[in-house]
Amino acid sequence: QVQLVESGGGLVQAGDSLRLSCAASGPTFSRYVMSWFRQAPGKEREFVAGISRGGGSPRYADSVKGRFTISRDNAKNTVALQMSSLKPEDTATYYCAASEYYSPGTAADDYTYWGQGTQVTVSS
């Protein structure tokens, strides 16, 4: 199993950039597919970005393509989400999640382990 802790959230203005990080415990981090999800008040939790075990084959929600980049460093047990050109609609609590499957699926139920979340607020 793995424990996840997110950091890097905050209050920014539209058009700004922000980098989120997720630190994982244990020596088995590279065994997990990692993804970022987000959830706004009153909305369903939605897939944002995912990355394979080796750091390749990233996938993104259509709403963030071209603006967000997911990456991972297996030596440091971290996964990051670089966000640029932020919009007010990006405002949400962002969660990192780990899956035991081969590819980063878009369904929250595919993920076994979750962090506590970090708040991102984008003002207009």
Side-chain angles (χ1 to χ4, degrees), residues 11-85:
L11 174 63
V12 298
Q13 294 183 324
D16 284 352
S17 296
L18 197 63
R19 185 179 179 88
L20 305 183
S21 295
C22 176
S25 67
T28 60
F29 177 69
S30 63
R31 293 167 52 189
Y32 296 95
V33 166
M34 299 297 300
S35 290
W36 288 92
F37 287 76
R38 67 187 182 187
Q39 187 168 25
K43 303 295 183 181
E44 298 292 328
R45 186 168 297 189
E46 64 175 350
F47 174 83
V48 176
I51 192 166
S52 66
R53 291 175 174 84
S57 302
R59 67 183 299 178
Y60 301 92
D62 288 342
S63 60
V64 306
K65 284 182 179 178
R67 299 190 297 119
F68 291 10
T69 301
I70 187 171
S71 61
R72 69 189 295 164
D73 186 337
N74 288 342
K76 297 181 178 180
N77 282 15
T78 58
V79 59
L81 185 69
Q82 179 65 47
M83 305 183 291
S84 62
S85 301

Side-chain angles (χ1 to χ4, degrees), residues 3 47 64 67 80 114 120 122:
Q3 293 181 323
F47 174 83
V64 306
R67 299 190 297 119
W114 295 83
V120 173
V122 184

